[in-house]
Amino acid sequence: MARYKGYDYNQLVMVPVSLDKQLVPGTLEHAIHTVIEEHVDTSIFDDKYSNDETGCCAYDPKILLKIILFAYSRGILHSRRMERACRENIIFMALACGQQPDHSTLAGFVSSMGVEHITELFTQVLMVCEKEGLLGGTHFSLDGLKLSSNASKEWSGTHSDLLKKKARLEQKVKESIEEQQKEDAGGENFDREREEKRIKRLSRNAERIGKFLEDNKPKGGRGGKEVQSNVTDNESAKMVSSHGVVQGYNANALVDEKHQVVVHAEAFGEGEDAHNMGPMLQGAQHNLEKAGCGSDALRDKVVSADTGFYSKDNFAACREAAVDAYIPDRGFRNRDPRFADSKRHRRSVDKHKKRYTSKKRFFTPEDFKVDEATGRLMCPAGAKMYCSHKNLTTSDGYQGTAYCAPKTACRVCKLRSKCLRNPNSPQRQVYYFHTKPTGGWAYEMKQKIDTVEGRKMYGKRLKIVEPVFGNVRAQKDMDCFTLRGRSKINIQWRLYCLVHNIEKIVHYGKSRTKVA
């Protein structure tokens, strides 16, 4: 007959636990504890409290910061799970020194944090990175990570779209009430309580949309056209990411080359990166100056970014900051001889040839001829075009002439369907470029990128910034935002980056035996 060890739950077990022994040197939790306890001044939070004479004692901001940062490093983004961890996880108990703040205290601490608070925290940790020799200050790389926020893309749309959605909800409410009245008159059994809940939910959603439309104006884009608003978080945007279409924010980070330390982090409520270089360089300069790197920490330094940052505004920001920028255009790989034999390059070339050897549908500039007698350009229908711009210069540096057809001729032209791609266009325009590019920001950047040194410099971007996003999103599971509003999202994104920077102190700091 088998024998088993006996057990009895009615016994007392004394487990001696020393909290400081749980924070083992060389671990992230020990680094968070040491950096926050010894190198971060949390007196900036004192103005938030007014309990010096009355009221109970508040939790020390250092305790709350340690809990939040370590929770983020474990992928615990919600305050209720943090509260539970402080009761059940021995490492959280050690960081909290046995205290157990509830979820509302933890969530309120992050939500009430101001821009000045998170900026001061970020620069103080960056100062530790500088003292530990983690900042090289020669090459910086910029990129963006699109993360979903605490908002649903189903609640997005233009004001006209939201009005239609509101009308559909009100129609469903009306139909449900009529159906309910028919069921009452027929005397048949049905789930009346469930139907009433459904009607209340639909009515509440319709009222919510109506209130949003009353309180908010249409959201204008940079091009002057209306962009989609969001009822839940109107500062977020619907953007295409590698994980599909998300409703969220474009989290940018500027990273130092030496040990991949984030020198500035900021989230933007638009998916495009064409206007982000200026704020990122200004923020990085401010942070580096506060960290003791000098007032010209970025001057003449290399800054690399991917093709999403290729824009006139970003190049102007680079010139203003006096940095050596490497931002390629979308076709730079097609000009790179190293990719001449690659399958992707051949497919691109074949697609390009196929597109221009296919059957012509619209008139091209070659179909417009110059009248030798008058010297004016003639359209295929025989109308005389006039010169609208003699010295046209593109961003690529090409120079040419622009011609326009009279609106009166295009309005009644029988060949209009073959000439105008957009049926609403009032007239046809033709551009003739007669000189090769000789200048301009786009031409200069192409010339720089196409050199051996330019390709080498840009090639470093991948190993500088991408591992940071991989660590934040994949290794730490910080793959979404739990707050709403750009100001709060910026706070959470910088806290994410603080976790990453403190981990760099653990592994690469000069005095890691003391700090970690």
Side-chain angles (χ1 to χ4, degrees):
M1 182 176 180
R3 295 187 302 160
Y4 303 101
K5 291 183 178 181
Y7 56 89
D8 182 11
Y9 286 103
N10 295 320
Q11 60 179 330
L12 182 63
V13 179
M14 304 296 292
V15 181
V17 176
S18 177
L19 295 180
D20 62 337
K21 298 296 183 182
Q22 307 305 316
L23 305 176
V24 181
T27 60
L28 180 58
E29 54 267 23
H30 184 269
I32 291 175
H33 167 72
T34 306
V35 170
I36 298 300
E37 195 69 32
E38 300 180 5
H39 299 278
V40 172
D41 180 16
T42 56
S43 61
I44 55 177
F45 295 99
D46 291 349
D47 294 339
K48 294 174 56 179
Y49 304 96
S50 57
N51 59 347
D52 49 346
E53 296 181 358
T54 59
C56 63
C57 295
Y59 287 103
D60 196 305
K62 291 187 176 182
I63 294 293
L64 300 179
L65 272 175
K66 293 176 189 177
I67 295 172
I68 292 167
L69 291 176
F70 185 64
Y72 283 170
S73 73
R74 292 295 181 90
I76 301 175
L77 309 181
H78 300 278
S79 57
R80 291 184 183 274
R81 291 184 61 195
M82 295 181 192
E83 176 187 356
R84 183 177 177 180
C86 290
R87 297 195 306 265
E88 300 176 354
N89 190 293
I90 190 65
I91 299 179
F92 277 92
M93 293 179 187
L95 286 172
C97 203
Q99 300 181 23
Q100 298 178 359
D102 59 12
H103 64 275
S104 60
T105 301
L106 293 167
F109 178 75
V110 178
S111 299
S112 62
M113 195 181 297
V115 177
E116 66 281 2
H117 300 137
I118 189 61
T119 302
E120 186 65 25
L121 285 175
F122 195 90
T123 53
Q124 288 183 30
V125 174
L126 204 61
M127 190 182 301
V128 178
C129 294
E130 169 65 14
K131 292 179 180 178
E132 294 296 314
L134 300 181
L135 297 179
T138 57
H139 189 152
F140 300 90
S141 186
L142 174 63
D143 205 353
L145 178 65
K146 297 178 178 65
L147 296 178
S148 59
S149 63
N150 190 10
S152 174
K153 59 184 177 183
E154 304 300 328
W155 288 92
S156 292
T158 61
H159 271 228
S160 60
D161 295 335
L162 294 175
L163 278 173
K164 293 177 182 177
K165 186 179 180 70
K166 178 176 178 291
R168 288 196 299 268
L169 290 172
E170 291 174 345
Q171 181 63 26
K172 287 183 179 180
V173 170
K174 182 179 179 181
E175 293 174 355
S176 298
I177 293 175
E178 292 177 354
E179 185 67 21
Q180 185 179 21
Q181 292 174 350
K182 290 181 182 178
E183 295 290 346
D184 289 341
E188 298 181 4
N189 295 327
F190 73 102
D191 195 341
R192 182 182 181 86
E193 183 179 355
R194 180 180 179 182
E195 190 66 19
E196 288 179 349
K197 288 183 179 179
R198 179 174 177 270
I199 293 174
K200 288 182 180 179
R201 184 178 68 254
L202 294 174
S203 301
R204 185 169 59 251
N205 290 341
E207 292 175 359
R208 182 183 179 188
I209 295 176
K211 188 176 186 305
F212 174 83
L213 294 175
E214 291 178 1
D215 298 340
N216 296 273
K217 296 180 180 179
K219 194 175 178 182
R222 293 186 180 272
K225 296 182 179 180
E226 182 184 1
V227 297
Q228 292 188 357
S229 304
N230 186 269
V231 177
T232 308
D233 183 3
N234 199 28
E235 291 185 287
S236 65
K238 188 183 288 186
M239 56 188 69
V240 179
S241 70
S242 58
H243 296 260
V245 179
V246 299
Q247 183 73 37
Y249 289 84
N250 184 8
N252 279 213
L254 189 65
V255 183
D256 185 271
E257 176 190 18
K258 188 174 182 181
H259 286 294
Q260 299 166 337
V261 173
V262 180
V263 297
H264 184 59
E266 190 169 348
F268 299 91
E270 56 183 352
E272 299 296 330
D273 296 316
H275 309 279
N276 299 348
M277 184 68 76
M280 292 301 297
L281 291 177
Q282 293 173 9
Q285 178 60 48
H286 173 267
N287 293 342
L288 291 171
E289 185 176 354
K290 293 268 291 185
C293 298
S295 58
D296 57 347
L298 289 180
R299 178 173 291 276
D300 299 328
K301 301 302 188 299
V302 175
V303 175
S304 59
D306 64 8
T307 56
F309 292 86
Y310 185 82
S311 70
K312 184 177 180 180
D313 289 347
N314 285 341
F315 280 103
C318 291
R319 285 197 302 270
E320 184 178 353
V323 298
D324 185 14
Y326 289 85
I327 309 174
D329 60 291
R330 297 187 182 276
F332 79 104
R333 292 198 186 277
N334 293 333
R335 302 190 303 271
D336 194 337
R338 297 175 299 175
F339 295 90
D341 297 331
S342 66
K343 293 182 179 180
R344 181 177 180 182
H345 177 76
R346 289 198 299 270
R347 286 198 304 266
S348 176
V349 173
D350 293 341
K351 182 180 178 182
H352 181 79
K353 289 182 178 179
K354 183 178 179 181
R355 178 173 37 172
Y356 285 95
T357 56
S358 60
K359 186 177 179 180
K360 183 171 59 177
R361 181 183 174 189
F362 295 98
F363 293 132
T364 63
E366 287 74 16
D367 297 314
F368 294 76
K369 308 299 180 181
V370 177
D371 187 359
E372 297 181 357
T374 61
R376 298 182 64 177
L377 192 66
M378 305 292 292
C379 76
K384 295 180 180 180
M385 305 180 71
Y386 62 91
C387 177
S388 60
H389 203 302
K390 289 185 178 181
N391 298 316
L392 178 67
T393 304
T394 67
S395 60
D396 293 343
Y398 285 92
Q399 295 180 352
T401 305
Y403 296 91
C404 286
K407 293 182 179 180
T408 54
C410 290
R411 189 180 301 127
V412 296
C413 183
K414 296 181 179 179
L415 301 179
R416 181 183 176 88
S417 60
K418 293 184 179 181
C419 192
L420 298 176
R421 294 178 181 272
N422 185 356
N424 297 323
S425 297
Q427 62 190 139
R428 174 62 189 263
Q429 298 183 16
V430 178
Y431 300 93
Y432 279 100
F433 299 104
H434 44 75
T435 61
K436 294 182 178 180
T438 56
W441 59 268
Y443 172 75
E444 293 174 359
M445 182 54 63
K446 286 181 180 180
Q447 294 295 105
K448 183 195 291 189
I449 287 291
D450 289 344
T451 61
V452 176
E453 183 65 21
R455 298 189 191 104
K456 181 180 178 181
M457 281 294 182
Y458 178 71
K460 295 181 179 181
R461 185 200 68 85
L462 193 65
K463 69 177 183 180
I464 296 175
V465 68
E466 295 297 346
V468 175
F469 294 148
N471 182 41
V472 169
R473 185 166 198 164
Q475 297 300 320
K476 300 295 183 288
D477 287 336
M478 297 183 289
D479 59 350
C480 67
F481 295 117
T482 59
L483 303 176
R484 294 172 183 168
R486 189 185 167 205
S487 60
K488 295 182 181 179
I489 293 296
N490 263 317
I491 292 170
Q492 195 168 34
W493 174 233
R494 291 176 188 176
L495 288 173
Y496 287 178
C497 294
L498 275 180
V499 174
H500 171 82
N501 287 350
I502 293 175
E503 189 174 34
K504 290 298 178 180
I505 298 174
V506 178
H507 297 300
Y508 303 105
K510 288 181 180 178
S511 57
R512 52 183 177 271
T513 55
K514 298 179 182 179
V515 178

